[in-house]
Amino acid sequence: MKINITDRRLTDVDPRMIGLFFEDINYGADGGLYAEMIENRSFEFFPTKVTPDVSPIDAWEAVGGAEFTAETASPINEINPGYAKIKGKKGAGCANSGYGGMYLEKGKAYDFSLYARGTAGLSVRVEGKDKSAMEFEIKPCAEWKKYEFEGICAETLYDARLFITLDGDGEADIDFVSLFPRDTFNMRKNGLRRDMAEALKNIRPGFLRFPGGCIVEGNGLLNRYRWKESVGDVEKRRCNWNRWQDGDVGVVEKNYFQSLGLGFYEYFLLCEDLSCEPLPVLNCGMGCQFQCDETADGEELDEYIRDALDLIEFANGDPDKNEWANLRREMGHKEPFGLKYLGIGNEQWGEKYFERYEKFQKVLAEKYPEIRLVTSSGPMPDGKRFDEAKAWLKGKGEDFAYLVDEHFYKSPEWMFENANRYDSYDRSGTKVFAGEYACHIGESGPKPNSLEAALAEAAVMTGFERNADVVKCAAYAPLFAREGHTQWTPDLIFVNNHEVLLTPSYHVQAMFSNNLPSYTLEIEREDDGDVFISAGFDEKSGEYILKLVNRGGKKDIVLTLPTEAEELTEITLTGNELGDINTFSEKEKVAPKSLTRKVGGREIMLTAQKYSFNVYKIR
Ligand code: AHR
């Protein structure tokens, strides 16, 4: 095969093109990125239409013969009114295993806190099967009081439980029981799991879209995501039920709720810590159209528009002039977060959406013309709903919609066929945000994060890069999945309580994002197919960057450059079979390997392994 990278400059590539899509799906937030170790810390779980048999003290169990009950009579606050009562003899109490057994590390610091009151004091212990890691004592107190402790863990434990027991006969009420590792990402309080956030950082994402996904819409408007409930004191963030209590792979997760401990403030902080742009998406006054036809009509829509206006103030406003900006300052962030983009509605379609979007847009454009709006084209990248959205957007400028969000969860065949999708796109139309995509192999049941899926995604991404004038940004979806608790597959990163598993798809994202050129260059090629390419030049490193996906057998390539070359770095992602996947027992089966060698002249001989994604950097 022959590839000639010419010196004909085509289009600039936004260094922030490759970003992240975060949603609390597959236990992405509670039990995932949010480092809180106690499940149902504030005794707020409740029955929902998906899981009618849930109790407020689920995830807890009585121990030592305790009478252990859910209460609401005199709570700490009315927003989260649930708490638990322990009655019994000394040693009676309750236990919490966190999310399937807690992981703690010897010598590390942990912050424990709870609210308690009662006639008896409490003994708190974090224990494994036959080892104790930490202990705290609480004296009896008649009124609610917050107790806070720091513990240094004495043992590394993989299956720990937290026990809270009476230290004498009597009773005690407990609420908001919390255990956090001190060592969170950037050492933030109420922070995020370091290992998971570091996996995000290593992608060097350009933006973070949050908080979803369908979670924005809710099953119906009742459990839609309300950002205002996700900020301020964590104890006063109303527990919501998670729309992903059931999902596409048929598993019902009885105890899947949103504590909102990871809320909009924490998302903005994460963006700051990752040096990426925040891209929040708000409900547009519609529930999930797959699940209901609920809409906010007439004046009801005002609240939703108000939420958008107030969010902009929360993120960017002057704390002396606005109550939401003041809340940001009170939470510890006086400086603005620098919000530039806002999504109105997730995956919505049709006239009802268009009407609502137009109402939002009119108000936002008048008050905050600097905010760039993102609109939806529905759940599919083609078909009636998609075409209607495109027709509606035709002729409308950037002020109306800066980006249109396109979603594609598609087969490898579709992905390979559509690697050229944007080559012939209308250059005058609304620019594209490929806001959710992933290669789906198989019709139903769990779908593998295989090498084949990763290659198909890489092929589509060469199309994004070649058409960076049209596709402004892109994000794989969904991001995280907790081992054994996935409602949606495939996912980019799998986790258990102590490990992170990077999929082949993750490596593709990281290889792209870490190796974006400043601008693309025209390519001439002679080949028999099976190869997907983009090429460009990086002004910072002075390197030509060629990305090449080979979905077929081994290929020898003669590469010609516009100038003489001295050094080549090849980063290769490959495996033996298209079906290869990474697992917790074989994490590096499909992982990138890098090699640097001296070269000379304008012509370079390359070999692309069968089934491989390659980044060649030449200077
Ligand atoms: O990424 C999973 C889901 O796919 C998102 O919540 C939704 O937007 C899409 O249907």
Side-chain angles (χ1 to χ4, degrees):
M1 157 169 204
K2 287 187 181 165
I3 299 173
N4 178 20
I5 300 182
T6 72
D7 59 3
R8 287 190 292 280
R9 182 175 171 147
L10 295 177
T11 178
D12 288 350
V13 179
D14 188 330
R16 296 190 179 276
M17 180 182 203
I18 308 297
L20 303 170
F21 161 92
F22 182 89
E23 177 165 29
D24 188 1
I25 182 173
N26 310 317
Y27 283 78
D30 291 338
L33 186 60
Y34 186 48
E36 173 63 82
M37 296 168 74
I38 307 291
E39 185 174 15
N40 192 14
R41 64 184 171 187
S42 61
F43 306 100
E44 299 300 337
F45 288 3
F46 52 88
T48 70
K49 66 177 181 192
V50 181
T51 64
D53 56 345
V54 170
S55 128
I57 51 175
D58 271 2
W60 293 83
E61 61 179 299
V63 297
E67 203 180 302
F68 182 59
T69 51
E71 308 288 334
T72 53
S74 56
I76 299 169
N77 69 58
E78 296 294 338
I79 300 169
N80 283 319
Y83 59 95
K85 187 180 281 301
I86 304 166
K87 261 193 200 167
K89 297 198 177 304
K90 180 176 177 181
C94 58
N96 188 296
S97 322
Y99 297 86
M102 298 174 201
Y103 170 66
L104 292 101
E105 268 183 89
K106 185 173 176 172
K108 292 240 165 140
Y110 290 82
D111 291 309
F112 173 76
S113 63
L114 92 169
Y115 284 80
R117 70 177 171 197
T119 59
L122 293 166
S123 154
V124 179
R125 296 174 317 281
V126 180
E127 292 180 356
K129 282 204 180 75
D130 48 11
K131 290 178 193 157
S132 174
M134 286 186 294
E135 289 189 18
F136 313 105
E137 296 301 325
I138 291 165
K139 300 225 174 325
C141 177
E143 299 303 326
W144 281 119
K145 184 174 167 196
K146 184 170 185 182
Y147 297 85
E148 292 175 277
F149 301 91
E150 176 196 293
I152 303 294
C153 187
E155 296 283 348
T156 293
L157 299 174
Y158 293 89
D159 56 358
R161 292 205 291 168
L162 176 97
F163 291 87
I164 304 175
T165 55
L166 300 175
D167 69 0
D169 297 358
E171 64 175 63
D173 294 335
I174 55 169
D175 199 2
F176 215 84
V177 185
S178 172
L179 181 65
F180 263 91
R182 175 74 52 82
D183 186 18
T184 56
F185 185 53
N186 277 7
M187 300 301 280
R188 294 213 183 260
K189 277 211 158 263
N190 191 46
L192 308 180
R193 246 178 79 170
R194 175 186 288 284
D195 55 350
M196 292 175 70
E198 274 171 1
L200 303 185
K201 194 171 174 188
N202 292 339
I203 291 182
R204 280 216 289 170
F207 63 89
L208 173 73
R209 173 179 163 202
F210 58 88
C214 290
I215 214 164
V216 170
E217 305 159 45
N219 304 58
L221 287 175
L222 214 56
N223 75 328
R224 71 180 188 274
Y225 196 102
R226 296 170 162 100
W227 77 265
K228 287 176 177 167
E229 293 186 346
S230 80
V231 292
D233 288 350
V234 278
E235 291 134 33
K236 293 191 183 143
R237 301 185 189 176
R238 190 175 65 90
C239 176
N240 195 5
W241 63 285
N242 194 308
R243 173 255 167 278
W244 292 107
Q245 286 185 342
D246 60 354
D248 281 26
V249 285
V251 186
V252 172
E253 290 284 356
K254 182 166 168 258
N255 287 340
Y256 201 3
F257 286 78
Q258 301 173 74
S259 72
L260 299 178
L262 166 52
F264 264 48
Y265 181 73
E266 291 75 22
Y267 286 124
F268 280 118
L269 285 184
L270 176 60
C271 292
E272 208 164 82
D273 289 348
L274 296 173
S275 307
C276 71
E277 297 290 345
L279 200 174
V281 179
L282 295 182
N283 188 298
C284 62
M286 299 177 80
C288 175
Q289 284 167 279
F290 285 119
Q291 309 223 358
C292 68
D293 58 4
E294 288 177 28
T295 50
D297 303 321
E299 286 180 2
E300 285 166 0
L301 195 64
D302 296 350
E303 182 195 336
Y304 295 74
I305 297 177
R306 184 78 258 155
D307 279 357
L309 300 172
D310 291 341
L311 177 64
I312 296 169
E313 289 296 337
F314 178 74
N316 294 352
D318 177 346
D320 290 327
K321 296 193 179 139
N322 178 278
E323 59 169 318
W324 292 102
N326 186 42
L327 176 62
R328 183 190 75 233
R329 172 169 61 189
E330 283 173 6
M331 291 184 76
H333 207 285
K334 181 167 174 266
E335 296 309 314
F337 282 119
L339 176 70
K340 300 191 186 104
Y341 305 95
L342 184 60
I344 305 299
N346 174 60
E347 261 189 10
Q348 317 286 170
W349 67 79
E351 273 309 319
K352 286 184 180 172
Y353 173 60
F354 305 152
E355 273 168 31
R356 282 165 183 77
Y357 179 89
E358 283 169 16
K359 289 194 173 137
F360 272 82
Q361 190 273 335
K362 190 161 178 284
V363 177
L364 288 166
E366 210 173 291
K367 191 119 201 264
Y368 302 103
E370 71 283 11
I371 298 290
R372 295 170 150 177
L373 300 181
V374 181
T375 187
S376 161
S377 59
M380 302 292 175
D382 41 36
K384 182 169 175 285
R385 292 165 182 161
F386 181 84
D387 294 344
E388 280 172 4
K390 288 287 161 139
W392 166 64
L393 285 171
K394 202 161 179 59
K396 302 207 166 79
E398 276 193 359
D399 294 346
F400 183 77
Y402 178 67
L403 295 171
V404 54
D405 187 5
E406 296 188 3
H407 293 183
F408 33 100
Y409 296 106
K410 291 288 193 179
S411 68
E413 296 74 37
W414 189 95
M415 299 296 252
F416 288 120
E417 270 164 31
N418 279 269
N420 296 333
R421 171 182 173 91
Y422 296 107
D423 291 358
S424 52
Y425 242 54
D426 173 9
R427 263 49 204 170
S428 66
T430 310
K431 305 296 178 216
V432 172
F433 170 32
E436 292 183 29
Y437 65 91
C439 175
H440 281 203
I441 298 175
E443 291 300 315
S444 60
K447 302 181 184 77
N449 274 98
S450 61
L451 175 62
E452 182 180 18
L455 294 181
E457 287 146 10
V460 156
M461 291 174 82
T462 59
F464 297 165
E465 192 177 283
R466 277 196 318 276
N467 295 287
D469 57 329
V470 171
V471 183
K472 287 292 169 191
C473 46
Y476 180 102
L479 189 54
F480 286 120
R482 180 179 181 76
E483 191 190 19
H485 294 275
T486 46
Q487 299 85 47
W488 182 289
T489 53
D491 304 289
L492 201 63
I493 301 169
F494 285 75
V495 300
N496 57 29
N497 282 342
H498 64 285
E499 288 170 300
V500 164
L501 172 67
L502 307 176
T503 62
S505 297
Y506 171 93
H507 294 304
V508 165
Q509 294 295 315
M511 284 165 71
F512 258 90
S513 186
N514 283 291
N515 297 294
L516 287 174
S518 314
Y519 53 83
T520 60
L521 291 167
E522 195 172 299
I523 311 159
E524 292 159 354
R525 56 189 280 180
E526 281 173 34
D527 62 287
D528 303 326
D530 279 348
V531 169
F532 304 84
I533 312 175
S534 60
F537 185 76
D538 183 34
E539 284 171 330
K540 261 197 252 124
S541 63
E543 289 170 332
Y544 292 96
I545 303 180
L546 171 67
K547 300 199 178 73
L548 185 148
V549 180
N550 178 14
R551 69 182 294 206
K554 185 173 148 196
K555 307 243 170 349
D556 292 321
I557 301 161
V558 182
L559 172 70
T560 311
L561 296 170
T563 54
E564 304 264 316
E566 289 178 1
E567 192 181 86
L568 161 76
T569 299
E570 301 172 74
I571 310 168
T572 305
L573 184 77
T574 187
N576 292 325
E577 303 300 332
L578 287 173
D580 282 357
I581 56 167
N582 293 336
T583 60
F584 280 100
S585 48
E586 210 178 349
K587 287 197 202 156
E588 304 273 308
K589 188 163 182 170
V590 184
K593 298 208 172 36
S594 179
L595 188 83
T596 301
R597 63 179 159 102
K598 295 281 167 227
V599 290
R602 286 182 50 214
E603 233 177 55
I604 302 172
M605 306 306 289
L606 304 172
T607 301
Q609 299 303 331
K610 76 166 183 179
Y611 311 149
S612 62
F613 170 46
N614 308 273
V615 178
Y616 302 103
K617 304 201 287 182
I618 312 116
R619 68 168 122 232

